[in-house]
Amino acid sequence: MKYIYTTLILLLWYRISVSQDTKTYSGPYEGGKATYQYYETKDLERVFHGTFNYVPDAILGEGKITGRFFHDKKDGTWTSSTSYPDGWFLDRKSVV
């Protein structure tokens, strides 16, 4: 039983010591508006980590891109959709 408590305490300590404070940004981003989660390194570099939603400024139609990042790498399924006056276009890609 003592071994289990020691292991749990060590795992909890490790989790707390390596975790990053995830922040959320919402505002202008590369010709559109984005809302995404990130954390900053010691050098104040922004690392995408969590959900990502992007809506470009409309030119011919409306669209959006959604997905997730895991430590600055795309993770899971990313969806891109665009609406045009004559219908919708939807594209899904899974990132491995």
Side-chain angles (χ1 to χ4, degrees):
M1 191 70 156
K2 185 177 177 181
Y3 175 74
I4 293 173
Y5 287 127
T6 304
T7 303
L8 288 174
I9 289 171
L10 286 174
L11 287 172
L12 181 61
W13 175 81
Y14 176 77
R15 174 74 175 141
I16 291 170
S17 67
V18 298
S19 68
Q20 302 287 338
D21 290 328
T22 303
K23 301 174 184 176
T24 301
Y25 171 81
S26 185
Y29 181 80
E30 296 188 8
K33 183 178 179 194
T35 300
Y36 60 83
Q37 295 174 315
Y38 70 97
Y39 63 87
E40 292 178 341
T41 65
K42 291 182 221 175
D43 301 326
L44 299 178
E45 292 182 32
R46 196 169 279 201
V47 177
F48 293 113
H49 187 70
T51 58
F52 182 89
N53 297 302
Y54 173 73
V55 178
D57 291 335
I59 296 174
L60 296 175
E62 294 182 19
K64 68 180 181 176
I65 298 171
T66 59
R68 292 188 58 79
F69 278 97
F70 184 74
H71 300 291
D72 224 20
K73 296 188 178 178
K74 290 180 180 179
D75 184 44
T77 302
W78 281 71
T79 305
S80 170
S81 60
T82 307
S83 69
Y84 296 101
D86 58 349
W88 278 88
F89 173 74
L90 179 66
D91 184 29
R92 286 195 176 124
K93 297 195 187 265
S94 292
V95 179
V96 178

